[in-house]
Amino acid sequence: MSKSGKITLSDFLGVLVVLGIAIGILVPILASSIMRTYKQEAFTDFDRLMQGIAHIPFMKITKKLVKEYTFNVNKEFHAVIEVTGGAIKITEGHGNIVKIRVYAYEGMPWFKGVDSERKYNVYYCERTNTLSINVNRYSVVIEIPSNYISSISLSINGGAAKIDTPLTNLKYLEVSVSGGAVDLKPASLGKVNVSISITGGALDGNLEFSRYVGESDVKIDMSGGAIDLDIQLPSNVKVKVNGEFTSGIVSVKINGEHVGRSYIEDGYEQASSKIYISYDVHGGIIDVGIRK
Amino acid sequence: MELPSIIRDLGESLVAPRQVIQILIAERRGLTFGFFIVLLCSILIGATATMVFISKLISFVPLGILSWIFGNVAILFGIASFVILSIGYWLIGGLIIHIFCKLLKGNGLFEHTLVAFSYLWLPSFLIGLIAPALMFLDYLTSLGLFLLMLCISFIWGVILSVQALAEAHNFSVSKALLSMLAPILILIFIFATLFSLKIFVWW
């Protein structure tokens, strides 16, 4: 304040500096305490990931459709997908038709990458009944008929992938992550053997086994990165958990109760519907929640 | 009621660094002023960077009490690291800048160089002002916003420091800019030499 009692620009800026320093020190310290209860919106969510990037100041990203494929697939077909950058999204299709749309990013060069290094490859082999997709710095949306696909092998070495569709006839799901982010939200799963291998990056999953009958495994190998996996099972399915753990952080809960490395539910051996969940953790953070 | 003079000095430093550094030098309180700017602003940057880079990631996997412990350990570690690095850079970088100032015929003392160099940290209050927003925004947006603010405050800090340095050593702004860039150029030279001699391998 000047001698005349007026607030000068220097006074105003001075107050801003003091406020900025105080807020900048206090807010992170408070946030580190309350963030355990305030769960952040998962950054692995594909849509939010893309929306988030688009809202970074001066970094607006847009997409342009470059190619569209349509395949008439046979029952029990397999999908082998590899992402080394860019994004893959699997959504619900109809009939026996798989529709694939490939989009090119337009915007900041750091995101869209060097043109010569960007590539995609989409191929359906009728003889082996296998759909193969490789993506680097493109965005691919795949519409899959939920009752036609029997196995998915997904390998992510960067970028993002999302599965958000019912997969009623799926028998085998293999996910390998060494970087990037995966948002796994398959619904209406039946008896599916799941194998998750992660050495980096993050996986946010919600496996909804609403049609589960029989026996299957969920196998998790981890040596880095983060996994937040929710497994929803019908109430009659018995659960067995077995884990190996050398380093990292592991949390496994059944209906909200923590279980140890080895857990067998009463009546597991005799049950007609049961699931075996095993994990082998050598680093990283894993949180598995099983709900019945 | 009149605001404490320190608040006015802080505000005036942002718009008229030449005048403020003259006053600080004359009143012989520049070193304390500079030290507290570097200390508080490095705590601010360290805490906010840890919140953006680490705490938000930890909150992604809710682990009950463990995430609370990790969150607090990370923030303490982040603050301590930034304070040590910032004060180290302030002193060593300040010494290199001072040597260059002397080579370019500057006539200020080492103390004056340190005061002028401390202005580099001052605009980081901008990061503090947006910290509440960074807390609630999603991961990528907060990361982008934090880095953008860091760039803006760095550029503003360099402008302030260069002006203050020119005033403290009584030479031109171009000479001050050259002196300010000296530690960065030396670092680039050292790393380039080490890489060319294959002492460091990039992997």
Side-chain angles (χ1 to χ4, degrees):
Chain A
M1 229 174 274
S2 68
K3 302 277 182 199
S4 61
K6 278 186 181 172
I7 295 173
T8 63
L9 178 65
S10 301
D11 293 333
F12 177 69
L13 287 173
V15 172
L16 271 188
V17 171
V18 174
L19 268 178
I21 291 173
I23 293 169
I25 294 171
L26 289 176
V27 166
I29 291 170
L30 290 173
S32 71
S33 298
I34 65 166
M35 271 186 184
R36 65 197 165 112
T37 51
Y38 169 64
K39 190 172 188 279
Q40 294 282 305
E41 288 172 21
F43 64 95
T44 52
D45 184 293
F46 177 84
D47 294 327
R48 289 205 162 269
L49 183 79
M50 301 316 296
Q51 284 165 10
I53 290 169
H55 284 98
I56 294 174
F58 313 118
M59 294 189 185
K60 188 154 179 68
I61 309 292
T62 53
K63 290 192 296 182
K64 190 179 87 178
L65 183 68
V66 289
K67 184 97 179 176
E68 197 167 354
Y69 297 87
T70 304
F71 299 113
N72 289 311
V73 293
N74 298 318
K75 278 254 180 192
E76 307 279 316
F77 85 97
H78 312 282
V80 180
I81 298 163
E82 190 180 353
V83 184
T84 48
I88 280 269
K89 184 178 182 180
I90 299 177
T91 59
E92 190 172 7
H94 303 285
N96 68 333
I97 295 166
V98 171
K99 274 190 185 170
I100 298 167
R101 290 191 299 278
V102 181
Y103 297 91
Y105 293 111
E106 292 182 329
M108 297 299 287
W110 67 266
F111 192 81
K112 74 173 190 180
V114 182
D115 283 345
S116 59
E117 290 175 1
R118 299 164 67 190
K119 60 182 179 188
Y120 66 88
N121 184 29
V122 177
Y123 176 68
Y124 173 65
C125 175
E126 208 164 334
R127 188 177 57 80
T128 57
N129 200 17
T130 303
L131 175 71
S132 303
I133 299 173
N134 290 297
V135 182
N136 187 4
R137 302 261 181 184
Y138 279 90
S139 172
V140 178
V141 177
I142 311 164
E143 287 180 16
I144 284 182
S146 61
N147 56 342
Y148 270 68
I149 189 158
S150 75
S151 81
I152 296 176
S153 175
L154 183 63
S155 172
I156 308 292
N157 303 314
K162 179 173 186 172
I163 298 179
D164 188 11
T165 177
L167 296 168
T168 52
N169 202 33
L170 195 72
K171 308 271 189 316
Y172 186 66
L173 174 63
E174 182 188 16
V175 181
S176 169
V177 188
S178 56
V182 180
D183 190 4
L184 213 56
K185 303 252 180 337
S188 303
L189 293 173
K191 195 186 82 161
V192 183
N193 286 306
V194 180
S195 172
I196 295 170
S197 169
I198 178 165
T199 55
L203 184 145
D204 182 21
N206 185 5
L207 306 177
E208 191 218 317
F209 289 93
S210 57
R211 297 158 51 88
Y212 191 92
V213 179
E215 284 182 48
S216 68
D217 298 344
V218 174
K219 189 168 178 281
I220 301 166
D221 277 307
M222 187 174 193
S223 55
I227 295 179
D228 182 6
L229 187 65
D230 292 318
I231 298 172
Q232 292 178 42
L233 295 164
S235 57
N236 64 322
V237 179
K238 301 293 180 186
V239 179
K240 178 180 174 181
V241 178
N242 196 17
E244 292 291 328
F245 162 65
T246 53
S247 61
I249 301 164
V250 177
S251 165
V252 180
K253 283 181 266 185
I254 297 178
N255 291 330
E257 296 286 318
H258 277 282
V259 295
R261 288 189 192 186
S262 188
Y263 169 84
I264 301 178
E265 196 174 347
D266 288 340
Y268 176 82
E269 297 300 339
Q270 298 78 31
S272 58
S273 287
K274 52 190 173 185
I275 191 163
Y276 175 51
I277 296 164
S278 64
Y279 61 86
D280 195 358
V281 177
H282 302 289
I285 304 171
I286 176 168
D287 180 40
V288 179
I290 302 156
R291 292 217 162 263
K292 296 207 287 178
Chain B
M1 193 189 79
E2 203 168 326
L3 287 171
S5 63
I6 183 76
I7 293 180
R8 196 179 311 119
D9 288 345
L10 285 169
E12 205 151 344
S13 297
L14 293 170
V15 285
R18 283 172 178 268
Q19 291 169 21
V20 179
I21 200 162
Q22 272 182 349
I23 296 166
L24 292 172
I25 289 170
E27 294 178 0
R28 298 189 64 80
R29 57 187 174 91
L31 208 53
T32 319
F33 181 85
F35 175 76
F36 277 103
I37 285 178
V38 176
L39 181 71
L40 292 173
C41 291
S42 56
I43 293 173
L44 181 165
I45 300 169
T48 315
T50 312
M51 178 181 78
V52 171
F53 285 94
I54 310 290
S55 303
K56 285 188 153 230
L57 274 179
I58 290 173
S59 68
F60 172 62
V61 181
L63 296 171
I65 192 73
L66 275 179
S67 67
W68 182 81
I69 293 167
F70 276 112
N72 285 302
V73 168
I75 210 110
L76 284 175
F77 186 76
I79 290 171
S81 311
F82 262 83
V83 167
I84 292 165
L85 285 173
S86 292
I87 290 178
Y89 184 62
W90 182 50
L91 294 172
I92 297 166
L95 183 64
I96 297 169
I97 290 171
H98 185 68
I99 291 167
F100 271 78
C101 287
K102 286 291 172 194
L103 289 173
L104 295 169
K105 313 275 188 230
N107 57 13
L109 301 174
F110 179 47
E111 182 186 327
H112 304 159
T113 308
L114 286 180
V115 181
F117 190 35
S118 69
Y119 279 27
L120 185 68
W121 280 261
L122 190 57
S124 59
F125 79 95
L126 288 174
I127 297 168
L129 288 176
I130 59 153
L134 295 177
M135 182 180 153
F136 291 106
L137 285 171
D138 65 87
Y139 185 73
L140 272 173
T141 314
S142 61
L143 201 67
L145 198 58
F146 173 77
L147 293 175
L148 181 73
M149 276 300 166
L150 199 63
C151 285
I152 292 171
S153 66
F154 176 76
I155 292 165
W156 192 359
V158 169
I159 293 168
L160 295 179
S161 279
V162 165
Q163 287 192 38
L165 206 61
E167 188 63 34
H169 284 274
N170 202 21
F171 58 22
S172 68
V173 169
S174 54
K175 282 183 178 177
L177 182 65
L178 193 63
S179 308
M180 271 292 291
L181 295 176
I184 298 165
L185 294 174
I186 286 176
L187 274 177
I188 292 170
F189 176 75
I190 290 170
F191 277 105
T193 312
L194 291 174
F195 278 121
S196 64
L197 295 173
K198 298 197 174 173
I199 293 170
F200 278 180
V201 181
W202 188 265
W203 73 88

